[in-house]
Amino acid sequence: MSCSSGTTEDNLNDKDGFVTDADVAYIRERAKGVVGGICCIQGVYMDEKRQGQGYVGQAACWDDKYIPGLKRLADAIHEEKAVASCQLMHCGRVGAVEVEYCHGPSPVPQRLRIFRPVQVMTKDDIKRCVDQHATAAERLCKAGFDIVEISGIVGYLISNFISSYTNKRTDEYGGDIRGRMRMVVELIQAVKKVIGDRPLGVRLCSDELLDDVRGNTPEESMITYQIAEEAGADYMSVTLGWQESIYPVISRDIPQGNWLFLAERAKKHIKIPVQMAYRLFNPAIPNKAIGDGKLDFWEMCRPMIADPHMPKKVLEGREDEIRPCVACNLCLARLFRDAPMTCYINPVCAHDHDPKFHITPAEMKKKIMIVGAGAAGLECAWVAAERGHEVHVYDKLTEVGGTLLEARKAPYGDEELYYQINFAKAKSDKAGVKFHLGIEVTPELIDEEMPDTVVLAVGPKYIKGTAPGFDKPNVVGVLDVLAGKAKVGENIVVWGNKKPGVGVALYLAKQKKKVTIVGRNKDFAIDINPSFRWRYNAYLRQNGVTVYNDCDIVEITNNSVTAMTYDGYQIPIKTDTVVCTERAPNQDLKNAVKDLGVEIFEIGDMVIPRNLSSAVHDGYKVGLRI
Ligand SMILES: Cc1cc2nc3c(=O)[nH]c(=O)nc-3n(C[C@H](O)[C@H](O)[C@H](O)COP(=O)(O)O)c2cc1C
Ligand code: SF4
């Protein structure tokens, strides 16, 4: 199977576009992972004025002074025996982080207000931009890159020229699809001229998903592929969607393999190799697609943010050890907010250069008792065991997974969250962790076992409110509802507007129940990052869930709930069941064992109830510290 690590902006470089140690280490790990495949670094910007720059930590390539830094990246990739690829990326109407105006073909205002106003490019600007691409490509060759790629995705400059939504020009760079492709053709030809026989790849949209603003039709997109091929592109990286599109493309609610039909369609229109990423996380899916002739190259972006060695593990038959991306889009949310990349479930991501994040042998071997086999406990277990400790994991349930055993039942892709448990369990088993399931840990048991260290990962406490009626039998807990153990009626109030509340509300709404969320936070789902939260906004509406934020329950009766807004406005809601989703720290076992004189660590939701990410990061860090 042919694979490539997809282009990934990481915001790890310095504010002037020079490559940093953090970026080199990040890329080196991904180069190790592609085992001789293609390792593509982020898209570089190419103009001194920085109109094309889309991210504060984006690498630059507008001057020879950037060559030594870029060479470090190409060298690192070659040292790991992979093929080095670099992208030229002018961010167009979503660029210009440091400049007041961005550049584009026409002054069409952006739908997302976070971007700078568009200044129309003159023909001289276009010519300059083409030259900048060519000279930057020359520099990349000097730096040692084997492949050059041109990025024309999600609303960046090239896509702005191609799309009927943003290109309203009446000169030769506008008009029909050939006119709108003219600049791309000039770019391809100019870059080809300077890179010799190195391959030139192009990333273009196969479907812009911009019908509501009169973007290109899929037929026009296929014509762009043919024109790029005629102009000299050596491979096509199939992409889809725009940042300004209202359709989801890569979040967890999109099933894996959903977009393969677009690669298949591209293959019918062009002869050059076709590669594609976009929710191809499970290797069996691209493997089959390649076998069936629907795809030539498996490209991966987020799967290799989450696990830099993913393809290597596939080749070595260690698929169970792949740390699976959960498609939460936190990585993207961070980039869009000028923060360096991190990953929700990979604590080492973007810290690859920092020895403090690496697993090294423990100085003193200890016997460790971990209480709780949820995400936090399991993560801590395998890390500590790999360091040489004797690790015992206890759980009162007979199955590992903790909260996720039930939380995975929420709709729109949450079952993928549980893959993190499978990963940590497989790592634990291989590292020799001993499991004691179906056993409730008591102070007496700890005393008997005499561990050197106890790690408490017991999860949160699920709480009820203090208003009259919370003690009624029609008030039930979120986990019992998801487990199917609690009896629920037809009109339900969910108490709590964070992710557990939203998840169970959608779970019940999908069963055609009438659901209302009453939550104390000012906004719903504040614990979900904005790059995924907008999906929940849509799903709550689509499923007819009413949401009252900044509000609390002040009374529950057998058939109603009274909610009250922060300013005293009372809302009566017809209800037969109240589902409690609020959580609190859980200190019970800690208080019971703290006098035993044993070293204690606390991790995950028992400290402060948060999310899967915090559980994994806590577990990993404490696993390193013991
Ligand atoms: C954090 C992040 C950074 C990205 N940076 C780039 C980039 O610099 N250039 C580019 O063409 N695409 C970029 N992309 C898009 C990816 O290359 C890829 O097409 C997309 O994430 C879908 O693939 P996946 O499902 O394997 O993540 C980025 C995506 C993410 C999540
Ligand atoms: S932050 Fe989320 S989407 Fe991004 S790589 Fe990590 S798990 Fe995947």
Side-chain angles (χ1 to χ4, degrees):
M1 182 160 51
S2 318
C3 74
S4 135
S5 75
T7 338
T8 311
E9 184 55 53
D10 55 28
N11 252 353
L12 294 178
N13 298 303
D14 85 358
K15 65 177 180 34
D16 293 320
F18 288 100
V19 168
T20 59
D21 291 348
D23 196 33
V24 176
Y26 175 90
I27 285 297
R28 183 182 289 282
E29 281 313 300
R30 273 78 200 160
K32 277 182 202 163
V34 290
V35 276
I38 299 168
C39 181
C40 196
I41 74 160
Q42 63 190 264
V44 294
Y45 69 95
M46 298 149 279
D47 61 313
E48 184 176 2
K49 285 195 177 158
R50 298 180 162 209
Q51 276 141 342
Q53 181 187 5
Y55 303 91
V56 283
Q58 187 176 352
C61 190
W62 54 263
D63 191 275
D64 285 356
K65 67 185 177 185
Y66 293 108
I67 295 175
L70 293 163
K71 184 170 181 314
R72 286 182 69 201
L73 291 169
D75 287 351
I77 296 171
H78 289 146
E79 279 156 24
E80 301 305 335
K81 314 227 169 345
V83 179
S85 173
C86 180
Q87 209 186 48
L88 304 170
M89 186 168 84
H90 187 304
C91 292
R93 71 196 257 111
V94 296
V97 274
E98 307 280 353
V99 194
E100 246 170 79
Y101 289 92
C102 65
H103 257 175
S106 309
V108 178
Q110 295 95 332
R111 185 132 75 168
L112 300 172
R113 295 286 168 198
I114 50 175
F115 298 118
R116 311 288 165 113
V118 186
Q119 195 180 69
V120 177
M121 287 172 84
T122 63
K123 284 195 204 169
D124 278 348
D125 290 331
I126 295 175
K127 191 175 171 318
R128 200 171 307 116
C129 186
V130 171
D131 289 346
Q132 283 162 352
H133 275 73
T135 46
E138 254 178 318
R139 288 187 192 105
L140 294 181
C141 297
K142 284 188 191 149
F145 285 94
D146 309 298
I147 298 177
V148 176
E149 190 172 273
I150 298 176
S151 180
I153 71 169
V154 295
Y156 296 154
L157 187 71
I158 286 175
S159 54
N160 305 158
F161 269 88
I162 297 173
S163 181
S164 48
Y165 164 43
T166 43
N167 186 340
K168 308 287 182 197
R169 296 178 80 98
T170 50
D171 62 9
E172 63 270 37
Y173 291 99
D176 68 4
I177 190 65
R178 286 223 164 245
R180 303 202 300 274
M181 273 296 282
R182 175 183 280 269
M183 184 194 182
V184 186
V185 171
E186 289 178 7
L187 273 174
I188 293 173
Q189 289 170 346
V191 172
K192 279 285 291 187
K193 214 179 266 174
V194 298
I195 65 170
D197 51 12
R198 288 176 181 81
L200 171 68
V202 182
R203 294 197 97 181
L204 297 181
C205 259
S206 59
D207 191 343
E208 293 178 341
L209 302 176
L210 289 173
D211 294 347
D212 56 328
V213 283
R214 293 178 193 273
N216 288 348
T217 61
E219 290 73 27
E220 282 175 307
S221 294
M222 285 304 107
I223 297 173
T224 70
Y225 278 31
Q226 287 163 339
I227 296 173
E229 181 178 45
E230 278 165 28
D234 295 300
Y235 70 84
M236 179 63 65
S237 169
V238 174
T239 71
L240 77 141
W242 270 43
Q243 288 182 13
E244 290 174 67
S245 165
I246 53 169
Y247 300 103
V249 168
I250 59 168
S251 43
R252 197 162 58 244
D253 46 331
I254 300 297
Q256 294 191 24
N258 195 60
W259 304 115
L260 268 172
F261 75 97
L262 292 167
E264 197 180 354
R265 181 157 77 196
K267 277 197 69 72
K268 290 194 180 122
H269 286 82
I270 49 177
K271 292 182 199 64
I272 51 177
V274 164
Q275 64 180 46
M276 190 179 187
Y278 292 87
R279 289 289 274 143
L280 297 180
F281 292 5
N282 178 347
I285 300 173
N287 200 20
K288 180 163 186 325
I290 291 173
D292 292 347
K294 295 178 180 170
L295 184 69
D296 299 304
F297 261 83
W298 175 31
E299 215 181 88
M300 281 152 283
C301 172
R302 291 169 302 159
M304 290 189 73
I305 296 176
D307 189 335
H309 300 164
M310 187 207 193
K312 188 167 194 286
K313 290 178 182 174
V314 176
L315 280 177
E316 292 174 354
R318 296 189 291 132
E319 280 185 36
D320 57 342
E321 285 183 54
I322 293 171
R323 193 194 278 282
C325 167
V326 295
C328 64
N329 289 345
L330 175 70
C331 44
L332 275 177
R334 301 250 320 165
L335 297 197
F336 293 151
R337 282 153 193 83
D338 297 341
M341 159 130 73
T342 55
C343 173
Y344 193 75
I345 42 94
N346 175 9
V348 191
C349 173
H351 298 284
D352 312 75
H353 62 297
D354 186 346
K356 285 201 297 295
F357 281 77
H358 296 176
I359 296 176
T360 47
E363 277 170 22
M364 195 173 59
K365 308 276 181 258
K366 292 182 178 173
K367 179 176 171 185
I368 301 170
M369 186 175 195
I370 297 181
V371 189
L378 289 179
E379 186 72 14
C380 186
W382 76 260
V383 174
E386 278 202 1
R387 294 181 57 228
H389 294 304
E390 178 188 330
V391 182
H392 297 262
V393 173
Y394 288 77
D395 202 296
K396 63 180 174 202
L397 301 178
T398 51
E399 229 184 308
V400 299
T403 306
L404 282 177
L405 281 167
E406 312 309 343
R408 65 176 159 174
K409 293 177 186 153
Y412 303 110
D414 278 7
E415 71 273 6
E416 289 192 24
L417 298 174
Y418 194 81
Y419 300 168
Q420 168 65 26
I421 297 294
N422 293 336
F423 155 79
K425 175 70 168 53
K427 292 285 281 181
S428 296
D429 287 340
K430 289 193 187 173
V433 172
K434 298 197 178 49
F435 283 90
H436 309 267
L437 300 177
I439 295 178
E440 178 135 25
V441 173
T442 57
E444 294 71 37
L445 182 65
I446 297 175
D447 210 20
E448 217 172 279
E449 291 297 326
M450 287 203 301
D452 300 301
T453 305
V454 172
V455 180
L456 298 175
V458 294
K461 256 188 186 172
Y462 288 85
I463 55 170
K464 291 187 172 180
T466 50
F470 265 104
D471 52 352
K472 286 185 171 294
N474 62 341
V475 179
V476 294
V478 56
L479 296 187
D480 288 338
V481 172
L482 290 168
K485 287 189 211 152
K487 210 169 145 287
V488 291
E490 292 307 311
N491 295 296
I492 298 164
V493 164
V494 171
W495 183 57
N497 57 352
K498 288 194 187 166
K499 176 70 203 309
V502 173
V504 77
L506 290 169
Y507 170 85
L508 292 166
K510 289 249 157 231
Q511 297 168 16
K512 306 274 176 262
K513 314 271 185 203
K514 170 109 193 59
V515 186
T516 305
I517 295 177
V518 174
R520 294 182 289 194
N521 289 95
K522 264 199 176 146
D523 212 343
F524 82 97
I526 51 161
D527 48 346
I528 300 178
N529 71 72
S531 292
F532 194 26
R533 188 165 164 259
W534 71 284
R535 299 308 311 139
Y536 282 100
N537 204 354
Y539 289 133
L540 288 169
R541 265 187 284 121
Q542 279 169 22
N543 286 286
V545 177
T546 307
V547 184
Y548 294 117
N549 298 317
D550 215 353
C551 202
D552 205 356
I553 291 179
V554 289
E555 189 178 12
I556 301 171
T557 69
N558 290 343
N559 50 22
S560 80
V561 153
T562 307
M564 189 163 82
T565 62
Y566 78 100
D567 53 356
Y569 185 73
Q570 296 209 354
I571 309 159
I573 308 161
K574 185 178 157 208
T575 314
D576 39 48
T577 314
V578 175
V579 181
C580 294
T581 69
E582 292 283 5
R583 301 165 300 167
N586 184 356
Q587 300 290 299
D588 294 352
L589 190 58
K590 182 187 173 190
N591 291 336
V593 302
K594 67 177 180 225
D595 297 331
L596 291 178
V598 62
E599 179 183 48
I600 297 177
F601 290 96
E602 300 164 78
I603 56 176
D605 282 353
M606 70 156 293
V607 186
I608 302 171
R610 289 153 294 160
N611 54 24
L612 171 61
S613 181
S614 312
V616 173
H617 284 249
D618 280 9
Y620 188 86
K621 284 182 191 152
V622 167
L624 290 184
R625 272 176 58 196
I626 302 173

